[in-house]
Amino acid sequence: MNILDFFKQNFYDPIVYKEGYNFFNTTLYAIIYIVFFYYVYKKYIETNRVKIDKYFVLPWIFIIFLPLFTRFFIEFKIINFSYDFLFYTPFLEFIYLIVAVFYLSKWEYIKNNWKKFFNYLIIFSTFYIIFLLLIVFLYGDLSYFIGYFESKQYITFPRPYTFFITFSFYFLIIFYIVKEKFYYIPILSHLFDGIFSFIGIKFQNLSEKHYIPSLMIDNFGDIGLSIFLILKVSLSILITYIIYKESINENVKNLLYLAIAVAAILAAVRGSFIINFYY
């Protein structure tokens, strides 16, 4: 296998054909992820240019939510979009990285005009969601939703529970951001990502796309899934506790909490859509 074949098999095909993750692309994405957060630490945290508080984090609720909300309609083929791969890994994450770099570079201005910025963000998000829903209802394929409601699937297990679980997820994440207890965010992110994954795989016949959990499931079946989810949540608790007890700057701790959380929160938000509207 030459270099081009290797690149096609391990990077190009998983993106274009949505084949999921493998050892090589997972490793590369992890390296990029670590390098990015190290860059943020050296340029913005170590130099005290950015303080990670509720004002810094709250806008990211909208920034994270909107692209994933759009992806929901694309993923279910309700909206046909020729460049749908832009809303999948790694392009979606690269979009977030670009936004993050811009956000950090403009943080001084945003901080000094935070209320105005946040209000504009709410207005933009509202109009974006309305516009997207108009596109869906005017041009989208609604047969999925028609079939969904006609089949009464929404009253069968586990759907009523998933609405409650989803509400709890968003409520707790926002609550602890506002309270600036950021050490809860990574634990909640991995916990709910694990819960959503478990429900999707066990009750809705979905498949796991990420490399390590899919490896566990392929080799050990349902037991492998359970073991992985227990380890995932346990490790998030352990690592968060170690950071919490360390005698380091609180701002550095908050960055580490967010770094651990982001690894799961994107999948958790996407999972919250899928377990409620997929059967």
Side-chain angles (χ1 to χ4, degrees), residues 171-230:
F171 174 81
L172 289 171
I173 290 290
I174 294 170
F175 176 79
Y176 285 118
I177 289 173
V178 171
K179 292 293 184 179
E180 296 191 341
K181 295 183 177 180
F182 296 116
Y183 41 83
Y184 285 113
I185 307 301
I187 297 170
L188 288 170
S189 298
H190 284 272
L191 173 63
F192 280 98
D193 179 32
I195 291 172
F196 295 148
S197 296
F198 185 84
I199 292 172
I201 294 168
K202 285 287 290 181
F203 298 107
Q204 297 173 261
N205 297 316
L206 298 176
S207 61
E208 178 59 65
K209 296 291 187 181
H210 293 88
Y211 177 68
I212 296 176
S214 64
L215 200 64
M216 293 285 289
I217 294 168
D218 290 343
N219 285 280
F220 304 105
D222 289 346
I223 295 175
L225 171 63
S226 300
I227 292 172
F228 173 77
L229 296 179
I230 292 169

Side-chain angles (χ1 to χ4, degrees), residues 4-5 10 35 41 53 59 101 116 121 165 176 186 190 206 212 226-227 243 246 250 257 276:
L4 288 178
D5 289 336
N10 293 289
V35 168
Y41 165 72
D53 53 16
V101 170
K116 181 195 288 187
L121 188 58
I165 294 169
Y176 285 118
H190 284 272
L206 298 176
I212 296 176
S226 300
I227 292 172
I243 296 169
E246 280 294 313
E250 198 65 29
Y257 295 145
N276 285 294

